[in-house]
Amino acid sequence: MDMLEVLDCCSPLAREPLGEDQAAGLARAFKALGDPVRLRIVSIVASHQGGEACVCDLTASFELAQPTISHHLKVLKDVGLLTSERRASWVYYRIVPERLAELAALLAAPTRVDDGAAAEVDG
């Protein structure tokens, strides 16, 4: 899914109000990203070679116990930001690009131009 398709389906906040269910789902995703460890996990997975990271790569990046990392991964999976696949004894995590694009599109600057002239601020 490219960004134009996402923008067509997910209007930025400035274009139309969110419905109650949509706002609740998006709030859960933003809340999940509001934790610095989870935000770093998403960044590590997204930037990892091949677009996926083994749980062993993630635990090596933090000074946290493995169960704590697993909890953060579960939260990210529950809100649809990550997906996982078990291969032998390791689990590999991958970003769900459509979900990240949905969040990005929601916060995108409006593309319409206001009727009034932009106010100038003198410093």
Side-chain angles (χ1 to χ4, degrees):
M1 177 179 286
D2 69 21
M3 188 54 100
L4 291 177
E5 289 175 302
V6 172
L7 287 172
D8 286 341
C9 79
C10 311
S11 299
L13 289 172
R15 272 197 249 164
E16 65 183 55
L18 296 173
E20 189 175 329
D21 291 340
Q22 184 183 20
L26 290 166
R28 283 190 297 277
F30 281 117
K31 183 177 179 181
L33 288 173
D35 182 283
V37 170
R38 291 192 284 265
L39 190 56
R40 282 190 60 212
I41 288 171
V42 168
S43 175
I44 291 166
V45 172
S47 64
H48 206 267
Q49 185 175 0
E52 66 180 10
C54 174
V55 71
C56 61
D57 297 321
L58 297 170
T59 55
S61 298
F62 296 92
E63 292 182 15
L64 297 170
Q66 188 276 326
T68 303
I69 298 296
S70 291
H71 166 74
H72 288 299
L73 289 165
K74 180 184 181 323
V75 170
L76 292 167
K77 282 183 63 177
D78 287 349
V79 298
L81 290 166
L82 292 180
T83 187
S84 65
E85 179 182 340
R86 178 170 291 282
R87 297 183 201 149
S89 60
W90 295 110
V91 178
Y92 289 81
Y93 290 87
R94 181 176 290 277
I95 295 293
V96 178
E98 297 85 6
R99 185 66 164 152
L100 280 183
E102 179 183 11
L103 297 178
L106 179 72
L107 297 176
T111 56
R112 66 182 173 178
V113 177
D114 290 333
D115 293 336
E120 291 186 27
V121 178
D122 292 329

